Amino acid sequence: MEQQHSLDRLDQLFDARELARLAFDFAPIGLVVTENRVLRECNQRFSDMFGYTRNELLDQLFAFLYPSEEEFQNLRTRGDKILGQGNPYWDERVMRRKNGELFWVRVRGHTFTPDTPLGRAVWSFADLSTQRPYLPLTRREREVYSLLGEGQTSKEIARTLNLSYRTVEVHRARLLKKMGVNNTASLFSSLGDIGGDHVVRSETP
């Protein structure tokens, strides 16, 4: 029944030449439009990814899709800064499904309001759980791992997270120990490969 409904809607959108809406609704990646981090619209792929219906998601603050309030706030700081500089934003983070399962996603964002970057924006979400199964890491370990994946050095990560260089190095060492590896490249292989072009060195603030 649900599949037939989707096919009927697809035909309706084609017949009406509403191709932009068609692309949004049936994109093979999760798409979301936000206003001040409140979810104003999403497509079916995003709903399916998180296990909610569209109506359960709309007009909700994004915080409930994160493992913790701290991670929600920290990612706001990072996104606001990069989008405000006019740059496209991306990161890889851990999020939470309706059933409580934590999983890795790759997020990309574009702002419609550069002066207030998170005022109005569009985001894509790709489920990485098949390439990178979630392992039990602390919040800080997840954040450090995510920023290492963006190509940041320990010093840059310390500035981003407002931590000391030594604290970042402790978290990095714990990550290596947990995975039983000796270097960052092996760490990515253990937790899941980010992929060549995405491992880039961030510009120093």
Side-chain angles (χ1 to χ4, degrees):
M1 177 70 77
E2 185 175 335
Q3 183 178 10
Q4 185 59 50
H5 176 75
S6 294
L7 291 173
D8 291 343
R9 177 159 175 74
L10 186 152
D11 289 340
Q12 291 170 2
L13 291 171
F14 257 113
D15 292 343
R17 301 295 294 174
E18 293 185 28
L19 302 185
R21 184 71 209 189
L22 180 76
F24 183 88
D25 286 352
F26 291 89
I29 194 168
L31 296 175
V32 176
V33 177
T34 59
E35 183 178 25
N36 295 317
R37 304 191 86 188
V38 172
L39 200 155
R40 296 304 190 194
E41 186 57 280
C42 68
N43 67 356
Q44 188 62 48
R45 177 68 187 123
F46 183 85
S47 299
D48 292 344
M49 187 185 307
F50 284 89
Y52 291 90
T53 66
R54 175 175 171 274
N55 287 339
E56 288 177 311
L57 292 165
L58 292 187
D59 299 324
Q60 300 296 318
L61 187 66
F62 244 91
F64 76 106
L65 298 177
Y66 286 81
S68 69
E69 177 68 22
E70 289 85 356
E71 281 165 284
F72 175 67
Q73 295 300 338
N74 285 344
L75 283 163
R76 171 182 183 144
T77 302
R78 289 161 56 185
D80 195 72
K81 180 178 180 180
I82 294 173
L83 289 170
Q85 294 171 342
N87 298 320
Y89 179 82
W90 79 272
D91 69 40
E92 295 184 346
R93 65 184 72 168
V94 172
M95 299 192 76
R96 183 188 300 275
R97 302 190 206 272
K98 185 177 182 179
N99 64 7
E101 176 189 356
L102 299 181
F103 69 113
W104 282 97
V105 294
R106 178 177 295 133
V107 179
R108 299 179 186 277
H110 170 76
T111 182
F112 301 119
T113 52
D115 291 339
T116 53
L118 298 178
R120 292 179 177 175
V122 59
W123 307 87
S124 70
F125 291 76
D127 188 341
L128 301 180
S129 55
T130 57
Q131 304 107 290
R132 184 185 307 160
Y134 174 76
L135 294 173
L137 305 176
T138 67
R139 172 176 63 88
R140 282 301 191 196
E141 287 167 349
R142 290 195 293 266
E143 291 173 339
V144 168
Y145 175 74
S146 176
L147 292 168
L148 284 170
E150 293 177 27
Q152 290 197 26
T153 65
S154 292
K155 288 182 179 180
E156 290 168 338
I157 292 171
R159 286 196 291 270
T160 299
L161 298 179
N162 196 28
L163 299 173
S164 71
Y165 170 79
R166 176 167 175 74
T167 299
V168 172
E169 283 292 283
V170 167
H171 288 304
R172 181 176 175 277
R174 286 176 179 166
L175 280 168
L176 297 176
K177 184 176 181 180
K178 280 187 177 182
M179 298 302 109
V181 296
N182 298 318
N183 54 56
T184 302
S186 297
L187 178 66
F188 290 138
S189 295
S190 297
L191 285 174
D193 186 15
I194 285 180
D197 291 343
H198 297 297
V199 184
V200 294
R201 179 181 175 85
S202 300
E203 292 184 6
T204 303

